[in-house]
Amino acid sequence: MPLPDELQLAIEIIDRAKRLGIEIKGPAEIEYGYGWIPTVTIWRGDCRLHLHYLFFEADAGGQRPDVLTLEVGYADANQSPWRTPIISLDEAWDIAEKVLIRGLKPLDMDREWVSDTRDVDKFIPHPPSQDNPANIVSLLSRPGWKPWSPPDKS
């Protein structure tokens, strides 16, 4: 069974947590413009999870990259973000439950994690749902926002 997209995956994780009586906030969609990786973020307290695809090579149709990653980040910039590939909703939920509910750190889990300068966490404010003019999704969803157009001249 293929993974749902980032937004649906985040919603599924939030729903599972609600059934346990745990509140996980989000999802917040973050997109910093053309060519940037769209990210969906969920969070609890100062810890957040970002779901995004890594663009190594697109599939045959050129529409979707191969690897969906889950990145664990923190509001505290002194804590490094870590990311790992995921292949199923259950795998994503397992990480979310361990990190957001039990408070484990990524390196406390038996899986491969990568922390490097390509992480998206450093570009996302906390809470991720706050108004952020650098986030195209946030900008376009403001009430009363209209695209600029040149004034009419006679």
Side-chain angles (χ1 to χ4, degrees):
M1 179 175 150
L3 265 172
D5 67 24
E6 306 97 298
L7 183 58
Q8 189 58 43
L9 188 61
I11 290 168
E12 293 285 342
I13 291 169
I14 290 168
D15 286 347
R16 285 187 182 195
K18 279 183 187 173
R19 289 194 294 270
L20 295 174
I22 308 286
E23 182 185 5
I24 293 177
K25 297 184 187 274
E29 186 179 3
I30 295 130
E31 191 168 341
Y32 291 106
Y34 181 76
W36 283 74
I37 300 168
T39 302
V40 173
T41 298
I42 58 176
W43 65 99
R44 184 166 186 237
D46 289 344
C47 184
R48 61 255 201 108
L49 300 182
H50 312 298
L51 299 157
H52 57 88
Y53 279 91
L54 287 183
F55 291 87
F56 294 119
E57 289 188 33
D59 64 12
Q63 297 298 311
R64 198 169 190 178
D66 296 329
V67 181
L68 179 63
T69 63
L70 188 152
E71 182 174 80
V72 177
Y74 302 91
D76 176 5
N78 293 321
Q79 295 189 63
S80 296
W82 294 88
R83 63 181 159 78
T84 189
I86 55 173
I87 59 171
S88 70
L89 169 60
D90 288 336
E91 188 177 26
W93 167 250
D94 182 59
I95 295 168
E97 187 271 333
K98 286 176 179 170
V99 171
L100 295 179
I101 297 172
R102 293 198 289 168
L104 292 177
K105 301 291 184 198
L107 297 179
D108 294 335
M109 290 178 252
D110 186 25
R111 48 182 312 116
E112 290 189 33
W113 293 91
V114 173
S115 184
D116 64 28
T117 58
R118 294 182 295 173
D119 68 87
V120 299
D121 186 66
K122 64 184 168 228
F123 300 109
I124 299 172
H126 198 79
S129 59
Q130 75 183 4
D131 190 34
N132 178 0
N135 179 2
I136 299 301
V137 174
S138 174
L139 179 68
L140 298 179
S141 62
R142 288 181 182 173
W145 183 87
K146 293 180 184 173
W148 180 87
S149 61
D152 289 332
K153 299 279 183 177
S154 55

